[in-house]
Amino acid sequence: MQVLAEQPLLISLMLGLIGGSLLYGWTQTGKRAAAVVGIVFLLLIPAVWIASSMMVTDREQIEAIIYEAAAAVEANDHDAALNYIGDPETKAKAALELPNYIFSLAQVNRIRSIVMIEGSYPPQADVDMSVKVDVSSKRGGIRDVRVPRRLLLHFEKDSAGQWKIVKYDHMPIAGGPDQFSPGM
């Protein structure tokens, strides 16, 4: 099901190859059953795309949450941003960090990876991504500075079936944590 939802092109190519082979076999043997089955395989290709568009995978849910959380941060809606965090300790850490800054931009540059942790219960995933923010400090000193950051998120699916951030860390794009990284 995961392959169907995330890679319909691969399944479509396989169906097309099988359908085309059966139609070629029909032209060589004249057996009508090969033609009928070949046409059925070819007619399944649009069904694969329709089914794929209707399915929402865990990766797609996590990606949607990432963009929604970025929009909440950009709007300086700290309560909405904190709603995406499921761990009380992590939520408290973010609640202390977010109010120190005024964001005029919070944009996801690239999601490098979303890795589902196989065999974990509850289901968990790790996300490695890069973001850029235009930020000003409420204390002064920093004014409208564009800062690219690498963001590492650990997600966990809660009992209601919603993905929540349970741990996060941010650092410069290259290298390790700096003075702005949590815990530094």
Side-chain angles (χ1 to χ4, degrees):
M1 293 301 275
Q2 194 80 3
V3 174
L4 173 64
E6 292 182 356
Q7 298 184 4
L9 180 60
L10 178 65
I11 293 177
S12 296
L13 289 172
M14 290 189 310
L15 288 171
L17 183 64
I18 293 169
S21 298
L22 286 167
L23 288 174
Y24 178 75
W26 167 64
T27 62
Q28 298 302 309
T29 63
K31 294 192 179 193
R32 188 172 174 183
V36 171
V37 174
I39 290 172
V40 168
F41 271 86
L42 293 176
L43 291 176
L44 284 175
I45 293 172
V48 165
W49 287 94
I50 292 168
S52 172
S53 68
M54 293 173 62
M55 298 172 77
V56 179
T57 65
D58 286 334
R59 280 185 180 85
E60 291 170 332
Q61 290 175 11
I62 290 170
E63 189 173 339
I65 289 168
I66 289 168
Y67 286 103
E68 290 169 11
V73 169
E74 184 174 327
N76 291 294
D77 187 351
H78 303 308
D79 292 333
L82 293 173
N83 284 335
Y84 294 102
I85 301 175
D87 178 60
E89 188 176 310
T90 303
K91 188 180 272 193
K93 179 173 82 168
L96 287 174
E97 189 175 5
L98 282 172
N100 294 327
Y101 303 102
I102 299 168
F103 296 91
S104 55
L105 174 75
Q107 180 179 347
V108 176
N109 283 345
R110 182 173 151 229
I111 298 176
R112 295 177 181 181
S113 65
I114 299 176
V115 178
M116 307 305 292
I117 300 173
E118 297 297 325
S120 60
Y121 185 79
Q124 298 176 2
D126 286 324
V127 176
D128 184 357
M129 58 190 272
S130 61
V131 299
K132 69 178 169 188
V133 295
D134 287 350
V135 65
S136 299
S137 173
K138 282 192 176 176
R139 295 185 197 143
I142 300 174
R143 266 193 134 20
D144 293 324
V145 176
R146 176 153 295 170
V147 183
R149 300 293 283 176
R150 180 176 180 200
L151 189 57
L152 304 172
L153 304 173
H154 182 74
F155 280 84
E156 190 173 281
K157 199 176 229 184
D158 65 12
S159 59
Q162 298 293 317
W163 285 97
K164 297 285 186 176
I165 300 167
V166 293
K167 188 174 163 187
Y168 75 92
D169 199 9
H170 58 83
M171 59 192 69
I173 294 291
D178 61 5
Q179 71 270 19
F180 300 109
S181 299
M184 292 300 181

